[in-house]
Amino acid sequence: GPHFISFLASPSALTGSALFFHYTWRRNCSSAVMPRITSHYTIFPRDKDPRWEGVEMERFADEADVVIVGGGPAGLSAAIRLKQLAKEQEKELRVCLVEKASQIGAHTLSGACLEPSALNELFPDWKERGAPLNTPVTEDLFSILTEKYRIPVPMLPGLPMNNHGNYIVRLGHFVHWLGEQAEELGVEIYPGYAAAEDVFERGMELHAKVTLFGEGCHGHLAKQLYRQFNLRENCEPQTYAIGLKELWVIDEKKWRPGRVEHSVGWPLNRNTYGGSFLYHLNEGEPLVALGFVVGLDYTNPYLSPFREFQRWKHHPFVAKTLEGGDRIAYGARALNEGGYQCLPKVTFPGGMLIGCSPGFMNVPKIKGTHTAMKSGMLAAEAIFPKVTAEDPASETAGLHIPEYEDNLKKSWIWKELYAVRNIRPSFHNYFGLYGGMVYTGVFYWILRGKEPWTLKHAGLDSAQLKPAKECTPIEYPKPDGKLSFDLLSSVALSGTNHEGDQPPHLTLKDDSIPVANNLAIYDGPEQRFCPAGVYEYVPLETGEGMRLQINAQNCVHCKTCDIKDPSQNINWVVPEGSGGPAYNGL
């Protein structure tokens, strides 16, 4: 069959809802140094690149009723709901889902504490179907950490962090299970995979009446769609965080299946938004999932989210759980934190945005899976009557279905996000973390978000860094190899791999800007905010000055560089299919 790789959308084609699948590039590379950092065709056009001479550019085209980009909770829930409706009404419906990972779930990373509301709607019999929700929450701890001590905070009913009735899951395994349910219903799933020989393949073109974009946070295609259809003209810029995660096997005596722990405070200062999680899984062995989240609106360019995470594990309250254990997995992913104020328009001719792509995460809950799933289901329910209607027009004429957005605004997603809309921006005050916690206690716990005002976020995360000369360098302790680790040994645990002879997918709009601006003014923050060691400044071969080196093969697809780069010069594009991390139940 044809090779389904990653995907690039032609904005002009979206009104006809066409998707073009990315190429696979294979050639024998010489050891000669390329004269530029960026050689990707999105920056260095094909007609000026001798590597493309004589390449056959014709595509194979195929048609479907609905194409879904992204095999996460939102995309799979949409696919499942469409096929459920088709089965109920005895209609033929071709649904194709494409995913850039080598298998469904391999790029999925989340805490994850799952609220089962949307799953109950999608599959009321999920327990009988064997959904991997093995760990109901039994204990909920919340702490404010100082450098040496823990201040417990009571987890009152009604606070957004209360996890009664939720499940601790390995989200990659849950997503893989959703994929199995989708295939049983007849959804065609195409995970990306690279070619097996040294050839270029043009890939293929898929036409559909509607394309759903569920790429996850800060999607590559969604960025194009925002510009093409001006979808963000009536909302605030999205704001983000980076989440870093590890899996550990711990001493069985310290294992408390069902226990959920969250903290704020140390090692971050009061004006840096962030916190930690530590979840005790019940998966047949003493596993804990732990992680650290840092808001990407931080101001100090010397801050390293990865090293803050490693430092946090040395806190006495955390270390006592991990000591004597073994780290078995690592990964990282950006997450949306803008909430209600940052939701874009989600419908346009030929397509829709679903899940974490537009950003339905409930930030104070630290949960987005249930809202992502529900958005996919609402999209499916809006689409189904339109794509199955008898219409003499072209079989794949692009449909505009604004009913999806109308249904969203009537759903519990909208009510939930509206109620918590002011919690995240309330942290932008002199007292920072502590002012935000007081605001949450007064206006959310007492008034349930009914205050008659809506607070604003600080603006683009990329605009928040201060020049290095205005900031204090942060001295991080060296990793001890027992609780804390270096970056490259961590990336090795992510299973990340990209074929080295493809044009690097981390592109620069201008190759001169990193040294002239990022290094000169901000001391090269990309070498700290990247959780995978992709960016490093190295001396020029002449011995005078520095240059940026991009180690694209390390990339875990977190998208942080595209978000936080103060010059907005980095453009993350999709690499060859199946490249990237190979997470097993993260």
Side-chain angles (χ1 to χ4, degrees):
H3 280 234
F4 285 76
I5 316 297
S6 303
F7 27 83
L8 291 172
S10 164
S12 62
L14 283 169
T15 51
S17 212
L19 272 182
F20 303 135
F21 290 82
H22 204 1
Y23 57 83
T24 295
W25 181 270
R26 284 288 182 278
R27 68 186 186 94
N28 293 321
C29 282
S30 72
S31 59
V33 177
M34 291 292 289
R36 55 182 60 81
I37 301 175
T38 302
S39 59
H40 197 274
Y41 72 87
T42 55
I43 302 296
F44 187 41
R46 291 188 180 112
D47 59 2
K48 296 178 182 175
D49 189 339
R51 297 173 302 176
W52 296 91
E53 284 180 13
V55 172
E56 176 56 54
M57 303 301 281
E58 189 175 348
R59 300 179 189 271
F60 169 76
D62 200 2
E63 294 188 347
D65 294 299
V66 181
V67 169
I68 299 170
V69 177
L76 288 164
S77 297
I80 287 166
R81 189 73 192 112
L82 280 165
K83 295 299 278 189
Q84 285 175 338
L85 290 166
K87 188 176 180 182
E88 288 166 14
Q89 299 189 27
E90 298 181 339
K91 295 279 182 90
E92 285 292 319
L93 190 71
R94 186 180 182 203
V95 179
C96 295
L97 183 147
V98 295
E99 163 58 38
K100 67 182 171 67
S102 58
Q103 58 183 330
I104 297 296
H107 286 181
T108 300
L109 184 146
S110 183
C113 201
L114 177 69
E115 184 176 312
S117 49
L119 178 60
N120 290 333
E121 294 179 27
L122 188 64
F123 287 120
D125 59 344
W126 58 262
K127 288 183 181 178
E128 291 76 13
R129 289 174 172 266
L133 277 65
N134 304 316
T135 314
V137 174
T138 58
E139 190 180 1
D140 224 339
L141 299 181
F142 191 86
S143 312
I144 299 173
L145 300 183
T146 64
E147 188 170 353
K148 299 292 182 187
Y149 300 102
R150 167 186 178 250
I151 303 167
V153 176
M155 191 51 59
L156 300 171
L159 283 174
M161 296 284 285
N162 189 298
N163 281 292
H164 178 74
N166 296 335
Y167 292 81
I168 306 167
V169 300
R170 298 175 70 174
L171 194 65
H173 289 171
F174 175 67
V175 166
H176 189 79
W177 175 83
L178 280 178
E180 293 172 343
Q181 307 309 303
E183 287 190 312
E184 283 180 20
L185 285 163
V187 177
E188 297 174 41
I189 297 181
Y190 300 101
Y193 57 92
E197 55 187 339
D198 293 347
V199 296
F200 167 87
E201 292 196 335
R202 179 61 168 154
M204 68 173 296
E205 182 176 323
L206 265 181
H207 294 264
K209 298 172 185 174
V210 185
T211 302
L212 298 184
F213 294 87
E215 303 169 90
C217 174
H218 203 68
H220 163 66
L221 297 179
K223 284 195 305 177
Q224 299 178 42
L225 296 168
Y226 292 145
R227 291 192 295 268
Q228 175 69 14
F229 295 105
N230 205 15
L231 301 178
R232 301 202 66 91
E233 66 174 328
N234 295 317
C235 67
E236 290 186 40
Q238 184 62 262
T239 183
Y240 302 88
I242 180 174
L244 305 104
K245 180 181 177 181
E246 294 176 351
L247 272 182
W248 284 61
V249 178
I250 61 167
D251 183 339
E252 198 159 352
K253 299 187 189 71
K254 303 174 182 178
W255 184 38
R256 303 288 183 271
R259 180 170 174 167
V260 165
E261 303 175 19
H262 292 100
S263 78
V264 294
W266 188 88
L268 300 177
N269 64 31
R270 73 173 191 269
N271 295 118
T272 303
Y273 187 86
S276 75
F277 64 88
L278 197 156
Y279 302 156
H280 293 247
L281 289 147
N282 189 11
E283 300 268 345
E285 60 180 330
L287 275 178
V288 294
L290 57 143
F292 203 78
V293 175
V294 178
L296 288 176
D297 56 355
Y298 68 83
T299 59
N300 187 341
Y302 293 110
L303 187 145
S304 163
F306 172 81
R307 298 184 78 176
E308 296 291 349
F309 177 29
Q310 299 306 308
R311 179 159 66 163
W312 164 79
K313 289 183 287 180
H314 285 274
H315 191 279
F317 186 67
V318 182
K320 67 181 183 181
T321 300
L322 301 180
E323 282 166 351
D326 291 307
R327 185 179 70 148
I328 61 171
Y330 166 81
R333 185 71 171 94
L335 48 145
N336 302 290
E337 290 208 331
Y340 177 82
Q341 292 91 319
C342 300
L343 290 175
K345 193 172 186 296
V346 293
T347 65
F348 48 90
M352 300 176 174
L353 300 172
I354 59 175
C356 287
S357 182
F360 294 118
M361 179 172 154
N362 182 323
V363 179
K365 274 189 180 181
I366 329 178
K367 289 176 183 60
T369 303
H370 65 302
T371 50
M373 292 177 68
K374 180 63 174 176
S375 71
M377 294 156 65
L378 289 169
E381 288 161 3
I383 287 167
F384 182 76
K386 303 288 186 181
V387 296
T388 56
E390 296 299 327
D391 189 347
S394 163
E395 287 188 12
T396 54
L399 295 173
H400 187 201
I401 307 177
E403 290 85 351
Y404 163 52
E405 189 156 328
D406 297 338
N407 294 345
L408 266 175
K409 291 177 179 178
K410 296 172 190 170
S411 74
W412 52 257
I413 295 178
W414 215 256
K415 293 185 182 74
E416 188 174 311
L417 295 186
Y418 183 80
V420 301
R421 71 195 182 282
N422 286 331
I423 294 179
R424 175 67 175 91
S426 74
F427 284 73
H428 292 293
N429 67 84
Y430 175 79
F431 300 102
L433 165 70
Y434 306 107
M437 291 181 72
V438 169
Y439 187 97
T440 302
V442 173
F443 290 104
Y444 183 79
W445 192 63
I446 296 173
L447 297 179
R448 290 293 186 269
K450 292 186 171 66
E451 64 267 34
W453 58 82
T454 296
L455 301 178
K456 290 195 169 189
H457 296 284
L460 285 168
D461 294 333
S462 57
Q464 304 308 312
L465 285 181
K466 295 178 180 176
K469 66 182 181 182
E470 297 177 18
C471 299
T472 305
I474 301 172
E475 294 295 326
Y476 290 105
K478 289 184 178 179
D480 68 355
K482 296 175 183 177
L483 294 179
S484 51
F485 304 90
D486 65 75
L487 196 54
L488 292 183
S489 67
S490 301
V491 175
L493 289 177
S494 69
T496 297
N497 183 57
H498 297 85
E499 291 293 341
D501 56 356
Q502 61 181 300
H505 64 283
L506 298 151
T507 70
L508 302 178
K509 297 171 188 173
D510 183 335
D511 286 355
S512 69
I513 282 179
V515 170
N517 193 68
N518 289 15
L519 184 61
I521 299 173
Y522 303 102
D523 199 55
E526 55 271 68
Q527 58 193 334
R528 300 184 194 91
F529 60 58
C530 172
V534 169
Y535 302 95
E536 58 180 326
Y537 285 92
V538 298
L540 282 168
E541 286 71 10
T542 60
E544 296 180 10
M546 305 288 280
R547 65 176 177 85
L548 178 66
Q549 180 167 297
I550 298 180
N551 306 308
Q553 69 275 13
N554 288 8
C555 178
V556 294
H557 297 200
C558 75
K559 313 293 181 64
T560 303
C561 58
D562 196 305
I563 296 164
K564 188 62 175 171
D565 175 16
S567 305
Q568 283 300 280
N569 185 49
I570 297 171
N571 185 39
W572 192 101
V573 300
V574 285
E576 289 180 9
S578 78
Y583 297 142
N584 178 12
L586 279 188

